[in-house]
Each structure stands twice: as structure tokens, then as C-alpha cells.
Amino acid sequence: MEPTISVKPNVQRGEFRRFKLSTVLIYVVLSAWAMTTIYPLFWIVNNSFKVSRDVMNNSFSVAWQPTFVNYTTAFDRINIGKSYINSLVMSGSTVLLVLIFGGLAAYVLSRFNFAGKRAIYSLLYATLLIPAFATVVPVYELLIKTGTVNTYWGLILPHTAGNLTFAILVIAGYMSTIPKELEEAAFIDGSNRWQMFYKVFVPISQPVFASASIFVFLWSYNDLFSALIFVSHKDVRPIVALLSEISSQYGTDFGLMATAVTLTVIPVLIVYLFVSKYIQKGLTEGAIKG
Amino acid sequence: MKGDRKYIFMFLLPSAVLMGLFLYYPFFKSFYLSFYRTKGFFDKKFVGWDNFERLFTDKLLGAATLHTLELMLYVLLFQVGIALVLAVLVEAISRLKTFYRTVFFFPVVISGTAISLLFVLFYNYNFGLLNNLLANFGIEKIFWLEEGNALRAVAIPTVWHYVGFYFILFLTAMSKIPSDYYEAARLEGISAFKRTTKLTIPLIMSDIKVVITLAITGTLKVFEFVWVITSGQNGSEVLGTYMYKKAMVDQNFGYGSAVAIYMVIFGVLLALLANRLLKRDEITY
């Protein structure tokens, strides 16, 4: 019998080693970039546990003896808690409205054939070319006239409108892949269009609703431009606008600034870690191809 | 189905009303306002093309346009470039893929304002991270945000912020390429480098095109980074901050609207130009 252990020829071994070297190099490059995304976060959280003087003297040292003074200041003196609530209410409502209205429109566009559908799509794509800068003055005027400036609606309505196109395109892309048989079966069971929408299409489209809601939430929560203009009053001010103000008012208190940044970033990061798997999923199925 | 018309109408109505009120109407209203000289909302006088004539002689606007274009160059070279390289590399490995995907996307979810504040701390002359670092090597402190540096100082976080977004788009596109293409390449004994340049990149060209268009239109919207880090000082004013200053700070809605219209036209032209330069047949598998 031939021996079962064979010595691989040198050529192959050499190739194997070269392959490994390039793999190591790839991991080094990828890890280097990963450092640029992780380290700044660590840096800012770490410095939030120091008083300003220590941040100045050595911002690299680890805060082994953390102080919570910045956190108490943030909640007591500059009332970051209120801004949290404002942000969550406004961005949460925006997501909800975008999903309901966008879902309904996406359902129609993906499952019905009717005259004028192409025109509707063109109108949708056209909105992608309208930047917030080109709508801000008339929207501001509209909000003032209707008394909704500096109320929650002052941010919810423009943000809902602004995010609908993205949501409709992505959700419609997903819904168009749902087999027709399912619809026919539901129809034979006596469902009307409403029931078909929320009993069949919404449950099946969950992944794309999830990814759309992540993006809509992020864009709404993070949008400084609208926040500065439509909801600048301190009772309704969202967290990004507060951040921007802290930087101008308390710009020399580095510990406090680090804390404010940390407090803004942590909730979205936590949410992101839970739902990150949906991000690629939603984009894969959706109509991101403009 | 019977009665479908009713549902079509009802289901589309809420979106149509909201988008009409908050996107289409304001856009056309902006266009209308750009023909007026205004002071606040109530003092409004028709001036014809005056605002548009002013656009052409406005040196600050010209500077802001050039700065925006410079920023766009950095975004296209580095943001899109790095994203593409990272996607190719992640596609080539077998372990830790999910880890890199998750971590590279981190900055995208963070608000531009928070990232900007982080960089305010990095760039601070007296106590910032960068000058701290230089001090360790005995190098003299640098004014990171002074004239000549400011725009590039703003460009770094701008670029860094969205690399992860395009990275995910590229990765998604690559995952759609059928694996038999790669098997054929392997049988032919084609090197990894050649496989990337001759196979992967041509096959995702339509996605690269989309990303380039997104990057161009996205750069026109840059606001937070400039506003928070430099407020547009020292040669870092971009179109977004300039429009904000004219319309909201000076309360000159007429001219602000003209600037906004200019931005829309500029954006559409750039996007068309990019599409033309990158024209290619769509690949279907």
C-alpha cells in the first residue's frame, strides 16, 4: 500500500505561503481601518469621564478613576434629558409615519398597474434632486403660518416628506419580489386590499421595513440643518441642535463636550448593533439603484 | 380587482399630500422667491433677474463653489476609493467578515454634528489630540484650522463619515455576482489582482456609477461639518453654509433662494456630467 501521508511539492507550499502573506496583509489593512472607526469612539467615551483639565493634559490616558461630574452637569444644567425625549418623539414619529404612508404607497406601486404609474415614479425620482436647502425658506414660512414652527410637528412633517421617496423605492423594490400566488390566495379567502396590506404584505416585508426604519431614524435624528431652523426653541430642541449649542457655549469645557457627544452617540450605536444585520439585507433587496 | 381605483387613490394620497406640501410646493416657491428682494416674510419686492445677476458677481459664492468642488474631489478620490478597496478586501477574506462590516459602518450612524465636535477637540490648538500627539515627538504645534488648511481639515471627517455606507453598497453589489464567474476565473488561473480589475470592478460598474452620483449630490449637501468645525471661516465656506447664512442669518430669503436654485442646477449638471462620462451598458446576469 502506498503511504497515505504525502509530502506536498515545494512549489505548492511556496504558493500556499504567498497566499497566506497576502491574507495577513489584508487583515492588517482592514484592522487598521477598523481602528479608525473604533478608536475615536473609545477616545470620546473615555474623555467623558474626565474633568476638562485632565482632557487637556492627557487625552490619551485611560480614565481609571472615572468622574461622573460631566454627566450630572449634562442632565442638571443643560438638560440633555429633555432633548433626548424631543429627539425620540420626533424621530420616532417620523419613522412611524414614513413606514405607514410609504408602505401604503409602495404597496400600490409594486402591485398595481394603472395609468400614470410611470409619471409617479418620475415625480419620486425628481425629489431626490431637491435638496433641503431649496425648500427650507417656504417650509419655514408654511410652519410659521400654521403655527407648527417650534413644535414637534415642525420637524416631523418635513422629515416625513423628505424620507418618503427613499422608503417607497426600497419597500416597493422588496414587495415586487413577493409571489403573486400569495395575493391570490388571500383574495380567495375574502381579504380586501386593506387586509391584504397589513395581514400579508407588511409581515412578509418586515426585513425591508426594518432597514428603512433604521435609515429614516438616523437621518432624522442626525439632521442638524432642519433642527437649527424649524425647532430651535429650547423646549423642543432635539439633541443635535443642543450639541451644536453646547459647542459654542461650553466650547472650552472639553470633558462636558465629550460627555455630550457620548450621550448623543451611545443610543444610536446600541440600536445599530441590534439591527445591523438588516442594513445590508434591506439594501440588497431594495431599489437603491437610482 | 373591482374597486381598486379607490384603494390606489387612498393609499397614495397621504404620501402625495405630504410630498406636495413639503417638497414640491416649497421648491417652486423658492424659485418664485428668487425673483424678489425680501426682508423677512412680509417685505417683498419683485426684482426680476437681479438675484441671478448677483450670483455671477458674488465672489463669496464663487469661492464657496470652488471649495465645494475641492471637497467633492476628496470625496470621490478617498471616500469612494477607500470604500471600494475595503469592499474588495473584505470580499477576499473568509473570517471576521461580519465584524468588519459592522465596524466599518459605525461612523455612518453617528451624527455629523457629533463627529464634527470630536474633530473640534482633535484640532484644538492648545489641547487638541493632534497637537498633543505632535508634542510627544517634540514637534511644534500647528494651527490646523488656519487659512489654507481649514478646508482639508473639514474634508477628513467628511470623507471618513460615509466610507462605510459606500463600502456596504459595494459589498452588496459584489454579493450579487454569480459565483460561476469566479470559478471560471479560477480555472483559468487568473491572479487575484487581475480578477478584481478585470472581473469584479467591471461587473459592479453600474453600482460604482450610482455611488459616484450619490457622492456628488451628497457633497452639495455638506453642512454640519463645516458649520460646526469652522463656520465657513478661513477658506472653508461651502455652498450649504453660504446658503444658510444668506437665507437664515441675513434673512435675505430672495437671494438665499437664488443660491438654492443655483445649487440644484449645479447638482443636476454635475450628476448628468458624471453619468455621461461613466456611460456604460448595464450588465444583467
Side-chain angles (χ1 to χ4, degrees):
Chain A
M1 228 170 107
E2 293 269 321
T4 47
I5 302 160
S6 69
V7 180
K8 282 181 182 166
N10 265 337
V11 190
Q12 248 185 355
R13 291 233 333 237
E15 259 183 20
F16 182 62
R17 199 173 290 152
R18 205 167 62 211
F19 170 68
K20 273 209 77 138
L21 184 70
S22 66
T23 311
V24 170
L25 210 69
I26 290 178
Y27 279 104
V28 169
V29 173
L30 291 177
S31 302
W33 187 264
M35 277 299 290
T36 77
T37 65
I38 296 172
Y39 186 75
L41 284 177
F42 169 78
W43 188 86
I44 202 87
V45 174
N46 184 36
N47 281 316
S48 73
F49 293 111
K50 299 177 188 171
V51 292
S52 193
R53 185 169 17 87
D54 294 337
V55 181
M56 293 178 199
N57 290 338
N58 194 350
S59 63
F60 295 110
S61 65
V62 176
W64 294 117
Q65 288 155 322
T67 168
F68 293 92
V69 64
N70 296 319
Y71 286 87
T72 46
T73 310
F75 280 100
D76 293 346
R77 202 156 46 137
I78 54 181
N79 203 355
I80 220 163
K82 175 74 177 150
S83 287
Y84 255 142
I85 295 169
N86 293 337
S87 265
L88 289 178
V89 170
M90 289 190 280
S91 300
S93 314
T94 301
V95 169
L96 208 66
L97 290 179
V98 168
L99 290 188
I100 296 171
F101 296 160
L104 285 168
Y107 171 58
V108 166
L109 291 173
S110 64
R111 309 306 294 196
F112 290 80
N113 272 317
F114 55 95
K117 194 164 121 172
R118 288 184 74 90
I120 290 178
Y121 265 107
S122 306
L123 280 173
L124 274 179
Y125 281 115
T127 65
L128 296 176
L129 297 169
I130 307 178
F133 303 112
T135 58
V136 58
V137 170
V139 168
Y140 184 48
E141 193 179 10
L142 190 71
L143 294 175
I144 287 180
K145 276 184 184 156
T146 52
T148 39
V149 78
N150 286 325
T151 68
Y152 286 157
W153 290 111
L155 202 81
I156 294 170
L157 293 174
H159 273 174
T160 303
N163 283 301
L164 272 171
T165 301
F166 166 79
I168 291 172
L169 292 177
V170 176
I171 297 171
Y174 192 93
M175 282 182 170
S176 61
T177 64
I178 296 172
K180 217 168 170 59
E181 288 76 24
L182 226 58
E183 212 173 341
E184 280 155 7
F187 184 63
I188 289 165
D189 287 345
S191 298
N192 66 26
R193 288 294 185 185
W194 281 108
Q195 290 161 332
M196 189 107 73
F197 174 70
Y198 71 82
K199 282 186 179 160
V200 180
F201 280 80
V202 172
I204 293 176
S205 308
Q206 241 171 11
V208 75
F209 275 103
S211 70
S213 57
I214 298 157
F215 280 108
V216 173
F217 185 83
L218 286 178
W219 289 332
S220 168
Y221 183 91
N222 291 336
D223 176 19
L224 177 66
F225 188 72
S226 310
L228 283 180
I229 299 165
F230 304 142
V231 281
S232 55
H233 193 275
K234 74 180 189 335
D235 292 337
V236 284
R237 181 176 52 195
I239 202 128
V240 273
L242 180 72
L243 261 190
S244 155
E245 198 191 288
I246 289 172
S247 76
S248 49
Q249 252 184 42
Y250 301 87
T252 48
D253 190 336
F254 294 104
L256 186 63
M257 266 171 77
T259 304
V261 173
T262 304
L263 283 170
T264 321
V265 167
I266 293 299
V268 273
L269 273 188
I270 292 172
V271 173
Y272 165 66
L273 285 176
F274 277 108
V275 297
S276 63
K277 63 175 174 189
Y278 288 114
I279 285 178
Q280 207 175 358
K281 228 180 188 165
L283 290 174
T284 316
E285 308 293 343
I288 200 74
K289 288 190 177 206
Chain B
M1 238 182 274
K2 248 184 86 181
D4 271 357
R5 293 182 73 88
K6 183 183 81 185
Y7 285 111
I8 290 172
F9 181 73
M10 278 195 320
F11 285 11
L12 289 176
L13 189 67
S15 293
V17 168
L18 275 171
M19 293 172 88
L21 273 177
F22 291 97
L23 292 173
Y24 293 111
Y25 159 74
F27 175 70
F28 288 111
K29 184 75 188 285
S30 275
F31 192 63
Y32 164 84
L33 277 177
S34 65
F35 292 101
Y36 286 82
R37 181 177 304 127
T38 58
K39 255 197 193 128
F41 289 116
F42 307 106
D43 184 1
K44 188 162 70 184
K45 188 172 156 260
F46 184 78
V47 291
W49 293 96
D50 274 14
N51 286 325
F52 290 94
E53 274 164 30
R54 186 176 156 190
L55 286 178
F56 289 101
T57 51
D58 187 341
K59 286 212 178 72
L60 292 172
L61 182 77
T65 307
L66 285 177
H67 299 152
T68 305
L69 284 171
E70 189 178 334
L71 199 61
M72 203 173 284
L73 182 74
Y74 298 137
V75 164
L76 288 174
L77 277 180
F78 298 110
Q79 198 172 60
V80 179
I82 293 172
L84 189 59
V85 169
L86 291 176
V88 166
L89 294 183
V90 166
E91 190 63 13
I93 59 171
S94 45
R95 256 174 267 177
L96 289 174
K97 271 188 174 181
T98 319
F99 169 77
Y100 288 123
R101 264 210 309 263
T102 311
V103 167
F104 289 174
F105 201 76
F106 261 178
V108 179
V109 305
I110 303 170
S111 75
T113 313
I115 290 174
S116 303
L117 285 184
L118 186 69
F119 277 77
V120 166
L121 296 174
F122 285 177
Y123 291 137
N124 183 277
Y125 178 74
N126 290 313
F127 317 108
L129 181 141
L130 289 175
N131 280 346
N132 254 326
L133 207 65
L134 291 183
N136 286 346
F137 295 103
I139 302 170
E140 240 179 74
K141 290 176 174 176
I142 293 173
F143 280 107
W144 295 97
L145 298 176
E146 82 181 346
E147 190 90 35
N149 287 337
L151 187 65
R152 266 167 284 163
V154 171
I156 291 171
T158 310
V159 164
W160 177 75
H161 186 209
Y162 250 52
V163 165
F165 186 72
Y166 299 135
F167 159 78
I168 289 286
L169 289 187
F170 285 140
L171 212 57
T172 308
M174 288 178 191
S175 69
K176 285 182 190 164
I177 299 173
S179 58
D180 29 325
Y181 281 56
Y182 287 110
E183 250 149 60
R186 204 174 46 226
L187 288 175
E188 301 268 337
I190 286 168
S191 72
F193 180 75
K194 252 195 160 156
R195 198 178 57 217
T196 305
T197 51
K198 303 266 165 167
L199 194 63
T200 310
I201 291 183
L203 285 175
I204 62 164
M205 205 56 208
S206 65
D207 300 86
I208 295 178
K209 234 172 76 175
V210 171
V211 164
I212 287 176
T213 315
L214 285 176
I216 288 173
T217 46
T219 312
L220 285 172
K221 293 180 198 156
V222 167
F223 175 76
E224 281 103 328
F225 292 100
V226 180
W227 187 251
V228 176
I229 298 177
T230 65
S231 313
Q233 311 269 304
N234 292 343
S236 65
E237 189 87 274
V238 293
L239 290 172
T241 49
Y242 188 67
M243 189 269 159
Y244 180 81
K245 282 178 185 168
K246 286 295 136 193
M248 306 316 293
V249 181
D250 299 354
Q251 294 276 301
N252 190 347
F253 298 146
Y255 190 58
S257 297
V259 173
I261 299 296
Y262 165 80
M263 286 171 72
V264 175
I265 296 170
F266 192 58
V268 172
L269 285 179
L270 282 172
L272 285 177
L273 187 73
N275 261 312
R276 223 195 151 99
L277 290 176
L278 296 162
K279 200 167 176 70
R280 238 192 123 90
D281 293 329
E282 194 87 6
I283 295 159
T284 43
Y285 304 121

